[in-house]
């Protein structure tokens, strides 16, 4: 049984990747993640804003999240760690590359291409195995149209691709009118892979204090369904890799994402909840599932993608109608 996979042209010992979060800023965690079976790690994002000033939204979110994450994990989320600074980031990257044999992917988060290209080169020189772009953009300006938002993603991608020779992945939100076409257009624009999906952090309201809450909720396994749908539709239809992100709590979610065609499966919330040792639970669970079927990761990848299932409409509107009608039939 082999767990080997390929992602962004990189050989992975397992398809499991610790996605960007404060956990992967610590060398000890990166080493432990490798020991526990991670195939790669993504460092937390360096923010476009940090290239000029040391301010960022995730630092605030991480601090907010620290309150809601149990005991031992709290220190991972200290804002001081997250407000890391560009030099320290490069240093962490260098040290991480020297410390582990698995690929270390750097992450850039921004909405314009200004300043990114030279920093992308610095990341490459510091030894990044690849770069993941996170275009966290909320088009609150109502004059900005969908096609303009989409063009912005491609613009950022092309700018970074033209600056470096290492692979570049792009992490997307699901909020496009045609996510599949968007992924394909990024694939055509040279993306080495897409990460589906970024989780957006939306505000809530504290009704007692009458103020906006901007806390960060960790994900739940039910959240795999949206990336499951789109990876299932896209598998076999794009040149680049597909990575799943959102809702991976147990090996079951990992297996499901592989079955619909993911090349890599990422996790953050589960690691924040249970600690970096949880990577081993995912790895061993995946290995046990494959062992029981005498299968490899390669054997099962895409077996249940839209192109390979017997009933491809299960991914589309016909299925929706069946579900709604089925619900009415099962009612009291
Ligand atoms: C505390 C925290 C910090 C995060 N920081 C980053 C980040 O710096 N860059 C990024 O692209 N995603 C970041 N994420 C998003 C995760 O990488 C991941 O995409 C998201 O949590 C969904 O995966 P999950 O369901 O496994 O948690 C962060 C998430 C959390 C909870």
């Amino acid at each position: 049984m082999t767990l080997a996979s390929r992602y962004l042209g990189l050989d992975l010992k397992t398809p499991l990747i610790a996605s960007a979060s404060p956990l992967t800023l610590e060398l000890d965690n990166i080493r432990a993640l490798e020991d526990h079976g991670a195939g790669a790690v993504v460092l937390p994002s360096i923010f476009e804003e940090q290239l000029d000033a040391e301010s960022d939204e995730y630092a605030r979110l991480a601090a907010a999240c620290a309150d809601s994450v149990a005991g031992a994990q709290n220190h991972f989320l200290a804002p001081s760690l997250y407000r890391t600074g560009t030099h320290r980031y490069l240093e962490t990257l260098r040290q991480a590359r020297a410390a582990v044999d698995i690929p270390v992917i750097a992450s850039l988060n921004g909405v314009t291409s200004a300043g990114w290209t030279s920093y992308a080169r610095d990341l490459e020189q510091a030894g990044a195995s690849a770069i993941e772009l996170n275009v966290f953009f909320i088009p609150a300006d109502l004059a900005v149209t969908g096609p303009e938002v989409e063009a912005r993603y491609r613009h950022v991608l092309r700018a970074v691709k033209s600056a470096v020779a290492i692979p570049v992945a792009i992490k997307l939100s699901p909020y496009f009118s045609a996510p599949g076409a968007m992924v394909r257009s990024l694939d055509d624009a040279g993306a080495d892979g897409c990460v589906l999906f970024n989780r957006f952090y939306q505000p809530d309201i504290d009704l007692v204090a009458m103020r906006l809450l901007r806390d960060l909720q960790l994900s739940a396994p039910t959240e795999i369904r949206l990336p499951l749908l789109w990876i299932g539709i896209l598998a076999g239809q794009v040149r680049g890799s597909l990575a799943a992100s959102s809702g991976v709590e147990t090996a079951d979610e990992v297996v499901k994402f592989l079955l619909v065609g993911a090349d890599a499966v990422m996790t953050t919330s589960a690691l924040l909840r249970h600690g970096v040792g949880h990577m081993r639970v995912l790895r061993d669970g995946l290995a046990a599932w494959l062992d029981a079927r005498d299968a490899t990761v390669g054997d099962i990848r895409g077996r249940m993608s839209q192109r390979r299932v017997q009933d491809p409409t299960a991914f589309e509107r016909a299925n929706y109608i069946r579900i709604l009608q089925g619900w009415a039939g099962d009612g009291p």
Side-chain angles (χ1 to χ4, degrees):
M1 179 269 311
T2 167
L3 298 180
S5 190
R6 260 177 92 72
Y7 174 58
L8 310 177
L10 304 166
D11 287 318
L12 306 188
K13 289 179 204 155
T14 78
L16 300 166
I17 297 182
S19 44
S21 88
L23 277 177
T24 53
L25 196 59
E26 295 297 310
L27 271 187
D28 286 349
N29 289 338
I30 295 175
R31 282 198 199 92
L33 286 164
E34 178 184 41
D35 288 348
H36 289 306
V41 295
V42 185
L43 297 191
S45 299
I46 189 89
F47 292 82
E48 184 183 337
E49 291 80 354
Q50 281 175 282
L51 301 180
D52 298 323
E54 302 298 331
S55 73
D56 68 80
E57 177 68 356
Y58 265 117
R60 200 194 49 66
L61 285 169
C65 181
D67 295 336
S68 61
V69 175
Q73 301 305 314
N74 264 356
H75 69 279
F76 294 129
L77 303 172
S80 58
L81 280 182
Y82 228 47
R83 208 170 274 132
T84 159
T86 52
H87 291 296
R88 185 177 162 204
Y89 194 88
L90 293 176
E91 197 40 44
T92 304
L93 178 55
R94 271 187 213 102
Q95 289 173 358
R97 276 314 303 274
V100 293
D101 285 331
I102 55 176
V104 178
I105 300 171
S107 168
L108 278 173
N109 188 316
V111 293
T112 71
S113 56
W116 283 36
T117 47
S118 65
Y119 196 70
R121 269 185 222 111
D122 291 345
L123 293 171
E124 181 173 40
Q125 274 166 17
S129 311
I131 293 176
E132 184 178 288
L133 297 174
N134 180 343
V135 186
F136 188 98
F137 177 61
I138 297 174
D141 177 351
L142 304 190
V144 176
T145 65
E148 282 167 0
V149 173
E150 295 176 9
R152 188 184 284 242
Y153 275 73
R154 284 188 293 272
H155 181 70
V156 170
L157 171 71
R158 285 199 185 99
V160 174
K161 272 296 282 183
S162 65
V164 296
I166 52 176
V168 179
I170 187 156
K171 191 173 185 178
L172 294 179
S173 95
Y175 305 118
F176 293 96
S177 47
M182 183 63 195
V183 169
R184 179 175 272 175
S185 82
L186 290 163
D187 195 60
D188 290 344
D192 296 283
C194 288
V195 181
L196 310 183
F197 288 110
N198 198 12
R199 270 178 99 229
F200 266 44
Y201 299 99
Q202 292 117 347
D204 195 359
I205 296 177
D206 178 337
L207 287 177
V208 177
M210 285 298 280
R211 63 182 174 86
L212 279 180
L213 280 178
R214 293 183 293 163
D215 61 341
L216 188 153
Q217 303 291 325
L218 298 180
S219 68
T222 46
E223 292 180 43
I224 68 164
R225 290 184 177 216
L226 195 56
L228 200 75
L229 170 76
W230 281 106
I231 291 172
I233 289 172
L234 284 159
Q237 302 214 65
V238 284
R239 178 196 47 83
S241 309
L242 295 170
S245 174
S246 283
V248 171
E249 171 70 14
T250 70
D252 284 1
E253 289 81 52
V254 176
V255 170
K256 289 176 188 179
F257 275 133
L258 292 171
L259 282 170
V260 291
D263 299 289
V265 181
M266 300 188 169
T267 180
T268 281
S269 291
L271 297 176
L272 287 171
R273 239 184 239 118
H274 309 295
V276 287
H278 190 68
M279 186 56 86
R280 181 163 296 281
V281 176
L282 300 180
R283 188 229 165 264
D284 290 352
L286 171 62
W289 197 93
L290 292 170
D291 263 346
R293 288 154 185 86
D294 199 19
T296 67
V297 163
D299 293 335
I300 67 161
R301 180 179 303 105
R303 280 256 307 269
M304 300 195 70
S305 64
Q306 188 184 27
R307 282 159 67 107
R308 291 179 59 191
V309 285
Q310 278 185 346
D311 176 15
T313 63
F315 283 88
E316 292 175 12
R317 181 177 161 79
N319 192 46
Y320 166 69
I321 297 169
R322 253 177 256 139
I323 291 169
L324 296 192
Q325 288 171 344
W327 180 266
D330 292 345

